[in-house]
Amino acid sequence: MQEGRMNNIYRNLINHKNSDFYPFHMPGHKRNAELTKKYGLWDEELTPYDIDITEIDNFDNLHNPEGIIKNAETFAAGLYGAKESIYSVNGSTGAILAVLGLMERGEAVLIARNCHKSVYHGVELYGLVPHYLAGEIDELGIYQSISPQEVEKVLKLYNSDCEIINKECGKVKQADNSIKLVVITSPTYEGIVSDISQIADICHKYGALLMIDEAHGAHFGFDKFFPETAVRLGADFVIHSLHKTLPSYTQTAILHMNLEDVAIIKRLHRQFNLLETSSPSYIFLAGMENSLKLVEEYGSRLFEEYKNRLINFRNKTASLNKVKIYMPNNYYAYDYGKLVITAGINSGAELYRYLYEEHHLVTEMKSKDYVIAMTSIFDTDEGFERLSGALCKSDKDENFFKLDNKVKFDYTLRSGTLPERKLLPSEAVSLSAKYCRKVELEDSEGLISADYVYFYPPGIPLLVPGEVIGEDIIEQIKAARLTGIEIYGGCDGNGIFVCAYWQERNRQG
């Protein structure tokens, strides 16, 4: 394409490709052309246009796979140890929405408060009743492992009146208000893993299914240096974003099922057909299959090299005084492939800028107090050397740590302080179309939120539609503004969106 006719997105992609910026972010192939060619993931003589097709003869159909796509899904199930696996070209979001679509409107679901926004969107979309696992967060506002004890406490409260109707096979007749599904994110964005085996046993004891959003753990279970995958630990549904930590294309994911219930599996396939594009990319499908075949054939060597890079990096940075590689306080297991880097309170933006502008290292995200560098089996020695060198240099720079703003706040509310719910998310969103208005933040106390409010990153809701806005929420938003953290959803720099008209009408009878 001639320079004058080149479009902005394409031009920027080409310019970025030709630069020396190193990707400590997803996708997991890390734009490593050398390895993609070496392992046969791409033929350098091809262009994407050469192999971009639709469902023609001999190429199967993702919505009713019987041939090559079915074989690829069967291979994936065997590799991870699932009873059945489904390819998703709509990412983990599409898979999460499909599983939540198994629920009936008005049924209850138990979700960890730090779940991805797609879980909340599913709750809203299907009119579900959410209950929350508050979890614990540390001094940096990072969620630790969800405890099995907290899961059992909530399930015991709502599912204790479930009746076992067949002791031999353990079938459970659930009460109308019982929790039908539990959803947990493990690993978290920061790499923290929960005790899925024990949580699965507890869920099944109380008649609930368990879905694990293991989007960031597609590399789990292939080397003992990394945690075991939830697929082999008793979860009913496990979702992997193959593009996050394996060398697959952005937007590729897979859903694993470990159910014997044929009716549920049939319904889940139908949900996928409802939600997923009717024109799936065969380039995406080939990328998923290639990345998993790579793990089977060369995984032992690649993971050994990856593990050694991570160990060497942590050894080189262990003696730094001011810059620290984060380790959680209270966790069941941890993914050492996630490099959470902090230089103290409010250091995140400065760390990100320093690495990006001065060393051309692009981290996955910047938070108020830290940045996350994502790694994979396709990272290079040179990339790790550049990162460790940059951190060692910053550790010796006194001016780097002279930060002016020391405002302290959390990205979400701490355990025991979750807002009161007055409306279901679906009800609040439905009402907001007619009764929503924006009010000044200072005037919003006691009103009902009409939308989500969250800081991005990490994107965990501070407020969910239908929840009451308390003084603590208002103070958190004010503090976030002072630090320059971006606020998304129903809140901007001037006010917050609430179901105020509906609330005022209700008060007047």
Side-chain angles (χ1 to χ4, degrees), residues 30-68:
K30 299 302 188 89
R31 296 185 288 110
N32 191 328
E34 181 181 345
L35 289 187
T36 56
K37 294 170 186 174
K38 176 180 178 180
Y39 291 110
L41 300 185
W42 190 261
D43 188 329
E44 61 184 335
E45 295 180 0
L46 290 176
T47 74
Y49 296 98
D50 291 320
I51 58 172
D52 188 20
I53 64 168
T54 188
E55 296 92 339
I56 57 178
D57 284 352
N58 299 319
F59 280 90
D60 209 356
N61 187 325
L62 181 60
H63 291 273
N64 185 30
E66 297 177 332
I68 57 175

Side-chain angles (χ1 to χ4, degrees), residues 214-261:
E214 201 172 76
H216 282 263
H219 60 299
F220 282 10
F222 299 122
D223 188 288
K224 291 184 178 179
F225 183 73
F226 299 97
E228 179 61 280
T229 173
V231 180
R232 303 183 191 126
L233 295 174
D236 300 289
F237 309 103
V238 179
I239 294 162
H240 286 142
S241 282
L242 296 184
H243 69 270
K244 284 184 168 65
T245 57
L246 291 182
S248 188
Y249 300 113
T250 298
Q251 202 176 309
T252 57
I254 194 162
L255 167 65
H256 306 285
M257 297 176 287
N258 282 317
L259 291 168
E260 300 289 352
D261 194 320

Side-chain angles (χ1 to χ4, degrees), residues 222-223 294-304 377:
F222 299 122
D223 188 288
L294 172 77
V295 169
E296 182 199 42
E297 294 177 27
Y298 304 104
S300 178
R301 179 203 309 168
L302 288 169
F303 276 99
E304 183 67 20
I377 55 176

